[in-house]
Amino acid sequence: MTETDVLVIGGGPAGTWAAIRAAEAGADVVLADKGYTGTSGATASAGTGVWFVEEEQRDDAIVAREKIGAGLTERSWMVRVLDETFTRMHEIARVQRYPFPIGPDGNPIMDDLQGPEYMRRQRLRLQRLGVRILDHMPALHLLSDDDGTVSGAVAVDRWTGTEVHISAGAVVLATGGCAFQSKTLGCDVDTGDGALMAVEAGAVLSGMEFSNAYAIAPKGTGITKNAFYNWATFYRADGSVLDVPRSKDRTLMATTMLTEPVLACIDRATMAEQTMMRTAQPNFFLSFDRLGIDPFSERFEVTLVTEGTIRGTGGVRIAGTDCATDVPGLFAAGDAATRELIAGAWTGGGSHNAAWAACSGGWAGQGAAAFARQRRRPTGLLLRLGGPGAARYRDVMMAVRDRVLPYEINCLRHADRLVPALDSLDDMWANMAVDPTATGEDRLRAREATAMLAHARWMYHAALQRTESRGMHRRFDLTELDPAQQHRLLTGGLDTLWSRPEPDWLSATGRAA
């Protein structure tokens, strides 16, 4: 058995920041990643914007986010994140020598990061701090002691198939959200594993109804970088212009795609802007270049790709300023945790999520180090939480995707479609065969399928309980925003699901349960 003070599960921005801060706090740290830390995940695959705002502009930024967040944000957390993000970006420029581009005013432009370079430097910093990095070592189960305190994890070595037990004084979940293997850029590793492990340990989730994010991509690709479509014109199949809102609302596009193709052309960009785009996001153009398409002058067919809780706001509930969960010894960060505190009912790629990953990761790492220092390393027999993964996992994954990816079910939400989908998912869960003999990669895939199924059920259960339209959660049978439902919604359970208003939120706002 490997022993450590703090175990970080996940090697994206949230996980690496958690490991950095825990190590700087004096803890012995192990980081276990499903892939190769620094290259796997959404951020490592592309550039990402960051919610970096100068001090004199922060009040306006907060007010704007409060409006978009539909009343579910928390100002104190937004202030914390804006302050911390400002510090973090200057820190990576100073400590990690990150090469921010210089703007016309001679100052570095710190609201955008090139993911591959950012994550490469994160890995180097971990190595300099002495963090033990276990690449290709996904965690499958959490471990707990007799008191229910999370005390490590069971992982599997993807090269050898060997089971590895890691005992830890505290654990940080930074496994990302769930994109249901929809092929959105860099997110096939994000199958909701952390949420499943957390709920198996007794944690609860928050904001799972805000999980129906869809991103634009050229049809047949997974290039879901949406910012450049602000310069695009969209067209129907007959060549007429489709008046798509410049907001994140994909409703018109999704409705149109049910009956006909939608095309786009990024024809509103000037030559200078085109040059800037190719410099800022070169991978956005790779598929166009390979297909021989000039996206600035030629129309190309687009599709919408599910991004689930990657661009959504749902995840494990945060119960403390140190990003502790409701379970002792367990901390959550990044997309594995809810982002409602700063994003409310609507977020998107990068920006707030990227800032949250860096900030929550650091706070979780510091919190975990303090918890482990007070507790010390666990001794005695540790209990493995959760059961075996799904047998016939390929069939389970396909069935889940059939109920989550279609626009008409998850984007254009209506009880007439959500109820049958959830009933089907519940039936799959109740009758799911498990395979306790699975080993190695099959064992990982079986747990991924189980996590995806659990995630889909939590999403739709919460979506049916929020009987209104708020933020990205749009109900086409209940189109109005209901002031009486201005509260966060907690969700939990495995065999039997439940959703209810968050008591702390109701108490803080003076509302009755």
Side-chain angles (χ1 to χ4, degrees):
M1 176 180 284
T2 298
E3 295 184 357
T4 190
D5 297 326
V6 173
L7 169 63
V8 177
I9 303 175
T16 51
W17 276 113
I20 287 168
R21 288 294 183 251
E24 290 178 338
D28 179 58
V29 181
V30 168
L31 184 150
D33 193 5
K34 184 186 287 189
Y36 183 86
T37 300
T39 65
S40 68
T43 297
S45 304
T48 181
V50 183
W51 199 34
F52 178 93
V53 182
E54 298 289 348
E55 187 171 359
E56 61 273 13
Q57 299 171 321
R58 289 182 194 174
D59 284 345
D60 290 341
I62 288 171
V63 170
R65 174 44 51 177
E66 287 174 332
K67 181 178 179 180
I68 297 170
L72 300 186
T73 56
E74 198 161 321
R75 182 169 285 231
S76 63
W77 278 89
M78 288 192 281
V79 171
R80 285 186 76 202
V81 167
L82 285 170
D83 288 346
E84 188 75 3
T85 302
F86 188 86
T87 301
R88 290 288 169 84
M89 294 304 101
H90 282 283
E91 179 181 332
I92 65 172
R94 183 183 71 258
V95 177
Q96 296 165 224
R97 306 283 184 185
Y98 182 84
F100 285 104
I102 303 301
D105 59 359
N107 293 316
I109 302 171
M110 292 187 165
D111 62 354
D112 190 73
L113 292 166
Q114 289 296 326
E117 186 62 21
Y118 172 35
M119 295 310 302
R120 183 183 76 85
R121 290 170 188 256
Q122 289 286 94
R123 182 184 178 96
L124 287 172
R125 189 168 176 185
L126 292 176
Q127 292 171 325
R128 294 185 184 117
L129 287 168
V131 173
R132 287 178 282 168
I133 303 174
L134 306 181
D135 293 312
H136 307 292
M137 192 82 73
L140 305 181
H141 301 272
L142 292 176
L143 296 169
S144 76
D145 65 11
D146 291 338
D147 295 327
T149 301
V150 169
S151 304
V154 178
V156 62
D157 186 326
R158 297 182 69 175
W159 293 112
T160 65
T162 304
E163 182 174 286
V164 178
H165 288 235
I166 307 168
S167 169
V171 173
V172 177
L173 283 177
T175 51
C178 184
F180 299 98
Q181 296 194 335
S182 62
K183 305 307 174 186
T184 182
L185 186 64
C187 294
D188 263 12
V189 295
D190 296 309
T191 50
D193 311 351
L196 176 62
M197 288 188 283
V199 173
E200 288 172 337
V204 300
L205 309 170
S206 182
M208 293 304 291
E209 67 273 35
F210 307 122
S211 51
N212 55 330
Y214 282 77
I216 304 170
K219 190 170 183 179
T221 80
I223 306 299
T224 52
K225 306 307 292 181
N226 285 186
F228 296 162
Y229 290 104
N230 289 326
W231 286 267
T233 304
F234 295 92
Y235 301 89
R236 295 182 181 273
D238 63 5
S240 60
V241 173
L242 184 66
D243 191 16
V244 175
R246 297 298 167 190
S247 69
K248 300 289 186 181
D249 187 358
R250 308 292 183 223
T251 302
L252 177 60
M253 193 176 292
T255 303
T256 305
M257 286 179 181
L258 292 176
T259 58
E260 62 178 299
V262 171
L263 297 94
C265 181
I266 309 174
D267 51 11
R268 299 170 61 243
T270 65
M271 291 301 297
E273 288 169 337
Q274 292 177 27
T275 301
M276 174 275 295
M277 290 176 183
R278 283 193 171 273
T279 301
Q281 293 279 5
N283 60 356
F284 177 86
F285 297 94
L286 288 177
S287 57
F288 292 114
D289 293 342
R290 288 168 179 167
L291 294 169
I293 296 172
D294 178 4
F296 299 114
S297 63
E298 298 178 65
R299 298 177 189 180
F300 53 94
E301 188 173 353
V302 294
T303 188
L304 294 176
V305 180
T306 304
E307 295 189 306
T309 56
I310 303 295
R311 287 187 194 246
T313 65
V316 180
R317 177 181 182 265
I318 296 299
T321 56
D322 58 357
C323 292
T325 71
D326 292 290
V327 180
L330 184 64
F331 299 76
D335 290 349
T338 180
R339 277 84 73 211
E340 291 171 294
L341 296 162
I342 67 162
W346 203 325
T347 181
S351 189
H352 300 79
N353 284 8
W356 172 253
C359 299
S360 64
W363 294 327
Q366 292 170 328
F371 186 94
R373 184 164 53 249
Q374 182 179 24
R375 177 196 183 191
R376 300 186 181 179
R377 294 183 183 179
T379 58
L381 186 65
L382 299 179
L383 174 67
R384 181 194 308 235
L385 303 176
R392 299 178 61 85
Y393 57 81
R394 292 184 181 87
D395 292 341
V396 172
M397 287 179 172
M398 184 176 297
V400 171
R401 285 160 48 87
D402 285 345
R403 289 154 181 82
V404 172
L405 304 191
Y407 316 140
E408 61 268 33
I409 302 176
N410 195 18
C411 182
L412 308 175
R413 289 177 166 180
H414 191 291
D416 289 350
R417 296 181 288 272
L418 288 172
V419 170
L422 180 57
D423 286 346
S424 176
L425 293 164
D426 284 343
D427 186 64
M428 288 169 55
W429 183 273
N431 296 289
M432 181 177 63
V434 297
D435 185 2
T437 65
T439 58
E441 194 74 4
D442 285 338
R443 189 172 167 195
L444 166 63
R445 299 305 181 193
R447 283 289 285 177
E448 287 182 330
T450 305
M452 286 170 56
L453 176 54
H455 235 79
R457 294 172 68 230
W458 292 321
M459 283 167 40
Y460 285 171
H461 191 276
L464 284 165
Q465 294 302 306
R466 186 172 285 283
T467 53
E468 63 164 352
S469 289
R470 184 180 295 271
M472 69 168 57
H473 169 66
R474 297 285 301 280
R475 290 281 298 265
F476 285 79
D477 51 341
L478 298 161
T479 58
E480 298 300 317
L481 185 147
D482 179 5
Q485 295 187 54
Q486 187 177 321
H487 53 67
R488 298 191 192 118
L489 195 64
L490 303 184
T491 299
L494 292 165
D495 295 334
T496 302
L497 304 188
W498 56 265
S499 294
R500 61 172 180 263
E502 181 180 24
D504 290 350
W505 175 267
L506 294 174
S507 175
T509 56
R511 297 175 182 270

